Amino acid sequence: MPDTKSKMKMRKAVVRFSGDSGDGMQLTGEIFSQSSGSAGNDLTTIPDFPAEIRAPQGSIGGVSSFQIQIGGTEIYTPGDEVDVLVALNPAALSANLKFLKPGGTVIADRDNFKKKFLKKANYDENPLEDGSLEDYQVLAAPASSLTKEALKNLGLDMQSVTRSKNMFALGIVYHLFNRPMEPTIDFFEKKFKGKPKVIQANMRALKAGYYFAETTDVLPASIVIPPADLPKGTYRNINGNTAIAWGALAAAEKSGKKLSLSSYPITPASEILHEIAARKDQGAIVLQAEDEIAAVCAAIGASYAGNLSITSTSGPGISLKTEAMGLAVIAELPLVIINVQRSGPSTGLPTKTEQGDLAQALYGRHGEAPLIVMAASSPDDCFFYGYQACRVAMEHMTPVVLLSDSYLASGKSPWRIPSLDELPDIQLPEYEGEAEDWAPYLRDPEFLNRYWKIPGEKGYEHRIGGLEKEDISGHLTYDPENHEKMVHLRQEKIDRVAKKLPSQEITGAQSGNLLVVGWGSSYGAINSAVIELLEEGHENVGFTNFNYLSPLPENTAEIFEKFDRILVCELNTGQFANYLRTKLPMFTYEQFNKNQAQPFFTSEIKSEIIKILEA
Amino acid sequence: MPDTKSKMKMRKAVVRFSGDSGDGMQLTGEIFSQSSGSAGNDLTTIPDFPAEIRAPQGSIGGVSSFQIQIGGTEIYTPGDEVDVLVALNPAALSANLKFLKPGGTVIADRDNFKKKFLKKANYDENPLEDGSLEDYQVLAAPASSLTKEALKNLGLDMQSVTRSKNMFALGIVYHLFNRPMEPTIDFFEKKFKGKPKVIQANMRALKAGYYFAETTDVLPASIVIPPADLPKGTYRNINGNTAIAWGALAAAEKSGKKLSLSSYPITPASEILHEIAARKDQGAIVLQAEDEIAAVCAAIGASYAGNLSITSTSGPGISLKTEAMGLAVIAELPLVIINVQRSGPSTGLPTKTEQGDLAQALYGRHGEAPLIVMAASSPDDCFFYGYQACRVAMEHMTPVVLLSDSYLASGKSPWRIPSLDELPDIQLPEYEGEAEDWAPYLRDPEFLNRYWKIPGEKGYEHRIGGLEKEDISGHLTYDPENHEKMVHLRQEKIDRVAKKLPSQEITGAQSGNLLVVGWGSSYGAINSAVIELLEEGHENVGFTNFNYLSPLPENTAEIFEKFDRILVCELNTGQFANYLRTKLPMFTYEQFNKNQAQPFFTSEIKSEIIKILEA
Amino acid sequence: MKTEKRKKNGKPLSVKDFKSDRNVKWCPGCGDYMILSMMQKTFTQLDHAKEDIVCISGIGCSSRLPYYLNTYGIHSIHGRAPAVSTGLKLANPDLSVWVVSGDGDSMAIGGNHFIHACRRNLDINIIIFNNKIYGMTKGQSSPTTPIGMKTKTAPYGSYEPPFNIGELAISAGATFFARVPDKSPQLLGEVMMEAYRHKGTSVIEVLQNCVIFTDGIHEKLTDRETKDENQLVLTQGEPMVFGKQNEFGIQIDGMKLKKVRLEDKDSANTLIHDATEEETQQHIALAKLQLPDFPVAMGIIRNTESTSFEEELHNIIEQSQKKSSYKNLQELFHSGNTWEVQ
Amino acid sequence: MKTEKRKKNGKPLSVKDFKSDRNVKWCPGCGDYMILSMMQKTFTQLDHAKEDIVCISGIGCSSRLPYYLNTYGIHSIHGRAPAVSTGLKLANPDLSVWVVSGDGDSMAIGGNHFIHACRRNLDINIIIFNNKIYGMTKGQSSPTTPIGMKTKTAPYGSYEPPFNIGELAISAGATFFARVPDKSPQLLGEVMMEAYRHKGTSVIEVLQNCVIFTDGIHEKLTDRETKDENQLVLTQGEPMVFGKQNEFGIQIDGMKLKKVRLEDKDSANTLIHDATEEETQQHIALAKLQLPDFPVAMGIIRNTESTSFEEELHNIIEQSQKKSSYKNLQELFHSGNTWEVQ
Ligand SMILES: Cc1ncc(C[n+]2csc(CCOP(=O)(O)OP(=O)(O)O)c2C)c(N)n1
Ligand SMILES: Cc1ncc(C[n+]2csc(CCOP(=O)(O)OP(=O)(O)O)c2C)c(N)n1
Ligand code: SF4
Ligand code: SF4
Ligand SMILES: [Mg+2]
Ligand SMILES: [Mg+2]
């Protein structure tokens, strides 16, 4: 291809595809992600679609968007501000212009900016023509008509033709980013196998867009993002829900256990259930329970039966599981409870994100019922923490709450596919003594976990339940001292897990003025902010992000001591900060909180840090 | 009656009645409480009966006990150590001797200390005869045979005769404490109206015991407890559960609202449901729901309908109510949730006490779902806090969690019966503007509560629900800023309730070395301990007990500042201490915790305080 | 009493009075629209005033309905609408209470509250939008999803035997059960009005089309071509006949029902529908008729008389108030053993 | 396969093998003792080895049972035993799973799990100890408490219509339902054994006497004097007759049952019991027979064939494994679009 434009090198760029719900923006975005991954870029993506199942066409409520940040450097968020906005109709422009950087590029389908649609988007005038976009670079392409032209004679129905304009837009973006079209055309051939017309349509539209961009002069320069320096291996894009599901499947395989999942559907956790339901083809045993209580109880049954047993849900579902989680704690059964947090309280904002369920994970049960709490911090590391949650649950005979959230669940990032060998070993709590010496609550002397004896094992028949029990024998008892012992023992068992956890690490300054603290999914935004600040010369700032919350890593206090000030950033009113105040009350914690049901922006964190540093 | 014994004046004394479950020890204890109340003593009582519905006769597991502390001074607990132990059989002696003070008095039914029963209590020898009780004063009365004698010719069946020996034992205790028998005989006449034989039997047995004690020389001196200096008024004994039920009935009457109770039975909260179910005769609307979820949901329905609506349960039930409590928070409906805490986790020790559900009350819901948390501190003040919980819920349009516990629920203390006039006014959140200006989430500018408009009011039709809503209009919205506003607003509404709460007060030193902090039902033991310490010259110690936990009273920090050290005592692993660390992180909190599923002993608290003072 | 007063004072209400100011956000073509519209229409005919109507829902596409209805209403939590309405109706029996729910909401998570509402026989009206799928959460199986159907949670086809809502409701004690397709607005209106008139728990199953996830699932029943043969529309006191020319009838055969092609001689044996019959067997048998061997019964299958739960409760309250030893709270407080401290 | 292996290796088991070392703590005279003892007896006859038996309960007096049975067992939480057992049985279909529950545990808080267990038809055995009261919490009404009975929560007499457990179970899909008084140990043993043999959810309602709170509540049915007249003991393939001299019989009358005094001529019309009949009407009608107009049906009322839920699921797992595009996890992980970073 002759190269007629000048090239502009950028370290990273943010692209947002937007259009009507029927315009296929999610697929368009996915294809662009794949092509970016193949090009060696690091990336993070996030979809943004209407809460309604099907919103009215052309309305602002019906806009569906997909945002991606790609980079020749490591990418931790889908980006605050957008460099390139694709807007297939006026509603999409209206809803998304606020995200565009000054000077950023708009790629619009001029054909759709007609009266009817302008009105639905509350435009009196056509923004492509009234000068209101003069701070941006605008490529108003006749996407619909050129697509129609390109697809004529194919014998496709009108609707299919119209729908293909998303590929025209993608073609423009490909040209803008100097992307080869071949891998994508290969992809069309795979995806639409047996439907040659559809393959043709997509391909022609893509090419038409590409060549249109090439021949137009509106875009001043094409952008080159060099490949990022990522570890070697095979990669794919993955979202947090799939990654957790796969992590659990991997843990089952590695431990030689069958996987049982019992769940009830709920946004944004349902996809874990969908994925594992489809993974019956890998031997997964799945129950769609009648409600969340049944789900967690069935999971307890499956755990007692000796399977790796998990249950996945979101806030309202967790609230319902509370009672049974207490049973798993006192019975000391391995169980993974996945909470893909959404914005609360109550039904709240069910499609939006928040880190609002930490306190509940820590304290939500009646009585003293300690368990493990951990949190994933990126879509791809959901795989690892999904795996870890299963591992810790089984090795330590304890329920584990794994916190993810809406942002991680639907966002995607590249995941290096590990081989099973790479994953940490899972040492099941096997009893090795004589059958006569065994008892249901006999414990490992080091980690205090009991052993996992399951129905079918002769000579180990035993009963468990929710009543207080004598240590070792497991017999019911009202003895006051025994209860005190058991309360402490159950806590101590959790605390000792810390011995196995990796040390908490710091990015940036290893000691100094300010330690920024995050947990779970706030990682991306804070990490980006701190890296940028370091690059800008703020050498005094360190960042540490917690994945293990209960227990905390053993060196937590050690790290905190090295800094003058500690700033805890989280998407709630300060639940982790409060937890730290109870665990390590000798430090003072400052807070930066956001309760907008959406993730942190890197810029917000940056300016908060600067404010503190300059204060 | 000729007075043949010397009299010993005591400020307070502890009596424990014990026998087989069938021996009527609870009734015996109740009658003694009433007579003590009538004698002007202050008192606190506690029953202690088997977890089984009916344990085998004569077994240690089947012992039923009733403990009472009476005093000529204010009495805050049923007492640590027992002065007088009534033991009607060997099992009762075996189970209860550990509570008896050195030198204390044992009153035993000699007739029951025969082979069969000795064996059931694991005695090889008869302890009344083998010298093992030589450190105590023992009155081994032939209670069964003398009762039989006294009741002969009455024409009662053997079982009824045998059962009357409890009144014989009570007669001995009456003589020991110089109690008049007449009021009790009057009571028999009232209670057993229409059953003259039963009246006779009880009376004769009581008198027989009394005169037996008078003519025996074994008891060295009879005890006189002067009347306590209590506020004037009419008193009765009341347990915590009845007191809460009556508090709610009073709040309904005072506010002019109907009372709706929706509950599901659970130990130790069931009695609140029983009492209000019987109070249909006062117009109470009661639903025994199919489960705790239905109970709280029905309560939400009743609240929306405009009734004073409450739901009562214990730990496992609260765990189930979690989700719906979040709905009440976001919908901003008045609702009282009573948690009569029992010992956890899970089914735990269902008949035993603990303060283990505070953290759950504060943080147990998904998302940010703040509500009011308060706790009663004595059986009788359960009335006031029951009333207050209803008042605050209605005045501030918010769910209120009222924490009681097994200890308060079954313990009794004298309650001065108030007139309705004495109770604080309840100002319902009445909207006073124009109908056109009203909106579902329009708020009181001072306290931020919305107004309570109910079905049937024309022109105020509106919908509420669990989705996030725009302030004032109540319309659903995903707007990020609105969510942030609402999160803060819901918290601020709770915080502002503090403006209406009484100031937190200190017993003992108003400033100084050590402030002992308690909450809820630990009040009695800590208060007794601190009073004794003050009397013993430890002038530097103050005590403050919290009934209002969320929000904390406004002057909390002010109080804490006045002391060098703060010691938080509670029946859990430190939930209130941790909460204080999050709310007032500038102070250092030491902890004294007990996890034995039983209340603090005064002596434990005392020695802990002394240890700290001397350290 | 109250009802009459209201009727007299109020001016006649129109459908517009029951439209809220919120935009209806269901998918274009969704069967929910028709149900909403028939509720609005029905409400104009009630004896209750607008402000005495309360609509309570759980969570789901269907459960969004209260927002679109200008009455009092609660959009509660998933599965709990019957429980919420129980508390509300007991608290104020004068209200007309309508529960709106989905097949997932009422048969999965809400199953317990549903059967207990039926058992208690509270005077409420429960409308279940049965699209045989979880619409709102995008296509998972529900307890009414037919065997073999592929869903997001049953990617290899559903293998769970579904509930028959009518059978479950009647066995749990429901005194009124009706079934109507969303495509039969007139029947729906009639049934709603009867449910309103019926004292006790009324359950209406609406066969509702979800254009996104189960489009056409009720087609065989609602299609113009096939509906006469596939629907057995029941009318009180009328014989159970169906087919384009009413050429088929339902008769009994032991304790089962059989479908017969009517010849003159056996039309005498054709069952006459009696929804008011105490015994449940026949109603259950009707509720269970299924394609392809039988037509599906529509209309009011069961409609029996009995005291409502709230009446029972409020009667007891009244009785016990009359007989109580305590005239008021003070007497209660002072009952039993008290003493004076001077 | 597994079962046979075990049977061969093991020595015959005795009741003692199934007694745990814990003291049984029910009230002296409680009906629960007999149920425990019949379970222990039945377990000696199973094809399953002792270590392959699991007993799961909720909370209540009845639910203490697993502690007294020397098998694997879970004393779970109130109402949830069917849910726990669903997870367990799916995880390991080779186990013999017995759920023990009370009328409160399974009909009140556990109602939803109960009906869903019946619907799914998991191969488990659910024994409900129906003493028509909450025993453990000391005497509150349960959903089977008869109208008029005074309880702690119904001090003026119960006014809630009770559930009929059999009717609810069968309508929810139960393929096996039996009813037995605790005072008929032999019948109980037989029924337990049949429940064990039956593939799918088996529900056994035991009419259990609580000596403390409902003593004598089943007396009319169990009393020597009256039991022949008041019990209709059903036997597969036998006519439904009862009375001291079998002088009464059950016949049909439309879709209802009627009780007749047998004269020679009409004994031909007496119904023959067929528990294996697919249709539910007759079984429901039998389950609903009540005093004083009818005797109460005892024994196995329903016992029909169908695939169990765990079989269905594990079949699908097997099928989908065979047909899967991914031989193993690595293939799954590498499916779709991947790229290499060198
Ligand atoms: C406790 C809880 N669990 C799960 C959900 C998620 N959820 C919302 S609606 C729904 C199912 C809706 O299905 P249905 O009742 O059939 O209504 P439809 O959308 O089909 O009208 C589910 C599972 C929830 N909101 N709350
Ligand atoms: C969540 C929860 N709610 C309430 C209770 C209290 N509770 C324990 S057993 C029981 C009822 C028992 O009745 P039933 O099932 O009939 O058994 P029975 O004791 O009569 O055998 C109740 C309400 C509990 N343990 N957990
Ligand atoms: S998803 Fe289905 S049920 Fe929900 S609104 Fe759309 S069409 Fe209606
Ligand atoms: S209370 Fe009743 S059911 Fe419970 S053990 Fe005693 S007799 Fe049995
Ligand atoms: Mg549905
Ligand atoms: Mg019972």
Side-chain angles (χ1 to χ4, degrees), chain D residues 5-246:
Chain D
K5 187 200 73 199
R6 305 232 171 204
K7 249 176 94 187
K8 270 187 217 141
N9 295 348
K11 59 172 189 324
L13 293 167
S14 74
V15 165
K16 235 186 83 200
D17 289 308
F18 289 103
K19 288 197 169 152
S20 82
D21 59 345
R22 300 288 90 197
N23 288 331
V24 184
K25 292 202 170 171
W26 291 309
C27 306
C30 174
D32 292 359
Y33 285 96
M34 183 54 84
I35 312 176
L36 170 62
S37 133
M38 290 320 297
M39 281 180 82
Q40 288 165 331
K41 215 165 193 167
T42 304
F43 284 7
T44 63
Q45 301 162 37
L46 305 189
D47 292 336
H48 278 78
K50 182 172 134 176
E51 63 271 21
D52 289 335
I53 301 173
V54 186
C55 180
I56 301 179
S57 67
I59 302 284
C61 294
S62 34
S63 289
R64 289 292 176 109
L65 189 139
Y67 290 120
Y68 310 139
L69 204 56
N70 189 10
T71 60
Y72 282 94
I74 307 179
H75 178 231
S76 75
I77 45 180
H78 196 29
R80 316 300 174 189
V84 174
S85 64
T86 302
L88 182 125
K89 181 76 180 173
L90 291 180
N92 184 354
D94 290 335
L95 301 173
S96 174
V97 179
W98 297 75
V99 170
V100 161
S101 179
D103 45 318
D105 195 60
S106 58
M107 292 291 112
I109 192 167
N112 204 29
H113 312 304
F114 176 75
I115 57 175
H116 281 270
C118 293
R119 173 173 75 83
R120 293 200 183 100
N121 199 37
L122 203 74
D123 186 12
I124 56 174
N125 310 297
I126 302 179
I127 307 182
I128 300 178
F129 296 29
N130 188 5
N131 54 14
K132 308 202 171 183
I133 198 82
Y134 290 3
M136 168 138 279
T137 47
K138 305 193 176 168
Q140 298 86 4
S141 304
S142 96
T144 61
T145 297
I147 289 186
M149 187 169 113
K150 286 192 181 172
T151 71
K152 290 241 180 74
T153 44
Y156 306 101
S158 177
Y159 48 93
E160 304 212 8
F163 278 137
N164 181 303
I165 299 180
E167 184 182 17
L168 190 64
I170 295 170
S171 301
T175 49
F176 183 107
F177 174 74
R179 187 190 286 130
V180 198
D182 57 3
K183 299 255 161 62
S184 304
Q186 199 192 327
L187 183 60
L188 186 52
E190 286 164 20
V191 158
M192 283 180 182
M193 206 55 210
E194 277 312 311
Y196 171 70
R197 292 196 188 108
H198 170 259
K199 204 167 60 186
T201 301
S202 306
V203 178
I204 303 176
E205 175 188 9
V206 183
L207 302 179
Q208 173 243 332
N209 192 43
C210 168
V211 295
I212 306 294
F213 300 110
T214 54
D215 199 20
I217 195 165
H218 308 300
E219 215 162 45
K220 283 195 193 143
L221 297 173
T222 56
D223 205 75
R224 227 177 266 178
E225 279 308 295
T226 51
K227 82 181 202 188
D228 290 333
E229 264 175 44
N230 289 341
Q231 288 192 20
L232 170 69
V233 183
L234 298 167
T235 314
Q236 176 66 18
E238 299 291 324
M240 301 184 193
V241 293
F242 63 102
K244 281 216 173 56
Q245 268 81 38
N246 282 341

Side-chain angles (χ1 to χ4, degrees), chain C residues 194-205:
Chain C
E194 276 312 311
Y196 171 71
R197 291 195 188 109
H198 170 259
K199 203 167 60 187
T201 302
S202 307
V203 178
I204 303 175
E205 175 189 10

Side-chain angles (χ1 to χ4, degrees), chain B residues 30-45:
Chain B
E30 290 295 342
I31 296 174
F32 185 68
S33 322
Q34 284 164 14
S35 111
S36 304
S38 303
N41 297 147
D42 196 8
L43 61 92
T44 299
T45 75

Side-chain angles (χ1 to χ4, degrees), chain A residues 53 264-267 270 291-292 313-318 320 342 347 350, chain B residues 323, chain C residues 26 32 58-63 77-80 101-107 109 129-138 140 142 144 208 210:
Chain A
I53 309 287
Y264 186 78
I266 188 168
T267 304
S270 303
D291 61 23
E292 285 88 348
T313 187
S314 184
I318 289 285
L320 289 169
R342 60 191 221 181
T347 311
Chain B
E323 190 203 5
Chain C
W26 290 309
D32 293 359
I59 303 285
C61 293
S62 34
S63 290
I77 45 180
H78 195 29
R80 316 302 174 190
S101 180
D103 45 318
D105 195 61
S106 58
M107 292 291 112
I109 193 167
F129 296 31
N130 187 6
N131 54 13
K132 309 204 171 186
I133 197 80
Y134 289 4
M136 170 138 279
T137 47
K138 304 192 177 168
Q140 298 85 6
S142 96
T144 61
Q208 173 243 330
C210 167

Side-chain angles (χ1 to χ4, degrees), chain B residues 240-252 258-263 269-288 308-312 336 338 386 390, chain C residues 313 316-317 320 329 332, chain D residues 152-156 159:
Chain B
N241 275 343
T242 309
I244 287 180
W246 289 6
L249 287 163
K258 281 193 186 157
L259 178 64
S260 281
L261 169 82
S262 311
S263 297
S270 303
E271 202 186 347
I272 297 174
L273 167 60
H274 302 169
E275 173 58 19
I276 301 185
R279 293 293 76 77
K280 294 196 189 85
D281 70 1
Q282 302 299 308
I285 297 170
V286 177
L287 173 71
Q288 178 182 346
L308 165 54
S309 182
I310 69 180
T311 180
S312 52
V336 175
I338 300 156
C390 295
Chain C
L313 173 64
I316 288 183
I317 291 175
S320 63
L329 276 191
L332 169 69
Chain D
K152 290 241 180 74
T153 44
Y156 306 101
Y159 48 93

Side-chain angles (χ1 to χ4, degrees), chain A residues 192-241:
Chain A
F192 302 115
K193 206 165 154 178
K195 298 179 189 160
K197 278 189 195 170
V198 182
I199 298 172
Q200 274 294 318
N202 280 294
M203 190 184 74
R204 288 195 200 171
L206 183 75
K207 287 189 176 170
Y210 194 100
Y211 297 130
F212 170 79
E214 192 165 64
T215 48
T216 342
D217 258 349
V218 192
L219 293 177
S222 75
I223 299 164
V224 175
I225 311 241
D229 187 18
L230 296 171
K232 272 186 195 161
T234 308
Y235 283 77
R236 65 177 299 147
N237 283 326
I238 197 165
N239 71 32
N241 276 342

